[in-house]
Amino acid sequence: MNKLILQVEELMVSFDGFKALDIAYFELEEKELRVVIGPNGAGKTTFMDVLCGKTKPQQGTAMMDGKDLVKLNEQQIVELGVGRKFQAPTVFGSLSVFDNLLLAFKTSRSVWHSLFYKLPPQAKARIEEVAVTVGLKEDLARQAAFLSHGQKQWLEIGMLILQDPKLLLIDEPAAGMTDEETAKTGRLLIDLAEKHSIIVIEHDMEFVKQLARKVTVLCEGKILTEGTMEKVQNDPQVIERYLGRSHGKREEKAVAVGKNGKE
């Protein structure tokens, strides 16, 4: 077993008496790629919010490098090495890909400083290296507004990488992507897991299969089960409370279309 980078215990978040999150125990190893799945309202986003400091739990701990994330503010958590990417990409459309990456460079702390100071050769080399990693080397001079949806997602992942995070929190990276972009994103995350610990929230089961790592299933704020994708897919509780629910809706829709000849 590798060294643990994250240990969560007795973590509970309640909104107006409703338990949005109630995790007894969760752990993540260094350089592990974990996928978290579950139905809408399962607590996935709330879990991410706690880990990045956006939401404070009523109880529990989330230990990373000997420090409790629950007791830190958002900036302190970033400085500790946690980077988060939300579902919708948030890049600067009016700037080039290179300048977006420059703004995210770890030593750069302001737009003015980032865009007008003399860039050291090693910083330029690092930005170009990250651009290669995320598949945007040929687009460095391109205005970010003209990138495809998938390219904008990769750019934001590149911006996160430049902050040298130990733990990456990635929210539904495959949403809105083409099949080709989805496959490329999966390969990118697998490669990144060689240097970073990663937690991915995702609904696309084909994409989850591509990642082929340990899966955690959340339901009603609790961990329903954990394990390989094969184990999760064959778990009766998961089939009944998550996978079977969406499958059943597709079957009902197909029957309705067959009877009426239209949707």
Side-chain angles (χ1 to χ4, degrees), residues 9 67 131 148 162 167-168 170 173-174 184 197 238:
E9 295 187 67
K67 295 186 178 180
S148 70
L162 281 167
L167 173 61
L168 282 166
I170 311 290
K184 184 174 178 179
S197 302
V238 177

Side-chain angles (χ1 to χ4, degrees), residues 97-98 101 126-142 147-148 150-159 161 180-181 184-185 187-189 191-192:
V97 169
F98 183 89
L101 293 171
R126 175 60 178 153
I127 288 172
E128 291 177 346
E129 177 187 0
V130 169
V132 171
T133 298
V134 299
L136 294 175
K137 179 63 166 64
E138 304 304 319
D139 298 282
L140 281 171
R142 192 177 180 191
L147 297 175
S148 70
Q151 288 174 319
K152 289 177 181 176
Q153 298 279 32
W154 304 330
L155 173 56
E156 190 168 21
I157 290 173
M159 292 168 72
I161 296 171
E180 183 180 351
E181 288 174 335
K184 184 174 178 179
T185 301
R187 293 192 295 270
L188 172 60
L189 292 176
D191 289 343
L192 290 178

Side-chain angles (χ1 to χ4, degrees), residues 161-181:
I161 296 171
L162 281 167
Q163 297 170 25
D164 293 330
K166 298 175 184 177
L167 173 61
L168 282 166
L169 308 176
I170 311 290
D171 195 349
E172 295 192 46
M177 287 188 175
T178 65
D179 290 343
E180 183 180 351
E181 288 174 335

Side-chain angles (χ1 to χ4, degrees), residues 199-247:
I199 298 176
V200 179
I201 289 178
E202 190 51 66
H203 284 291
D204 186 330
M205 289 301 104
E206 290 303 315
F207 182 63
V208 175
K209 289 178 185 177
Q210 180 189 352
L211 299 182
R213 303 293 177 94
K214 188 174 182 180
V215 178
T216 296
V217 184
L218 280 181
C219 190
E220 296 178 355
K222 297 177 181 290
I223 293 179
L224 192 60
T225 189
E226 291 182 324
T228 64
M229 189 61 188
E230 181 180 4
K231 175 189 174 184
V232 166
Q233 282 184 303
N234 293 304
D235 187 297
Q237 289 190 89
V238 177
I239 294 171
E240 178 184 355
R241 303 179 70 178
Y242 179 43
L243 297 179
R245 181 182 305 176
S246 58
H247 180 68

Side-chain angles (χ1 to χ4, degrees), residues 20-107:
L21 202 64
D22 189 10
I23 295 178
Y25 186 77
F26 173 92
E27 65 181 26
L28 185 76
E29 297 180 2
E30 286 187 341
K31 300 179 182 179
E32 179 183 353
L33 173 56
R34 179 76 61 89
V35 183
V36 178
I37 65 174
N40 291 332
K44 305 183 297 297
T45 298
T46 302
F47 185 37
M48 292 281 210
D49 287 346
V50 170
L51 296 181
C52 74
K54 185 178 179 181
T55 295
K56 291 299 180 184
Q58 278 70 40
Q59 68 176 52
T61 58
M63 304 300 298
M64 178 175 166
D65 285 350
K67 295 186 178 180
D68 188 357
L69 300 180
V70 168
K71 297 179 179 179
L72 305 179
N73 61 40
E74 293 183 63
Q75 184 57 41
Q76 290 172 323
I77 290 173
V78 169
E79 292 171 355
L80 188 63
V82 178
R84 182 177 183 181
K85 188 210 167 305
F86 292 87
Q87 180 179 343
T90 53
V91 301
F92 298 96
S94 61
L95 299 179
S96 68
V97 169
F98 183 89
D99 285 341
N100 269 276
L101 293 171
L102 178 58
L103 285 173
F105 196 68
K106 193 171 184 181
T107 57

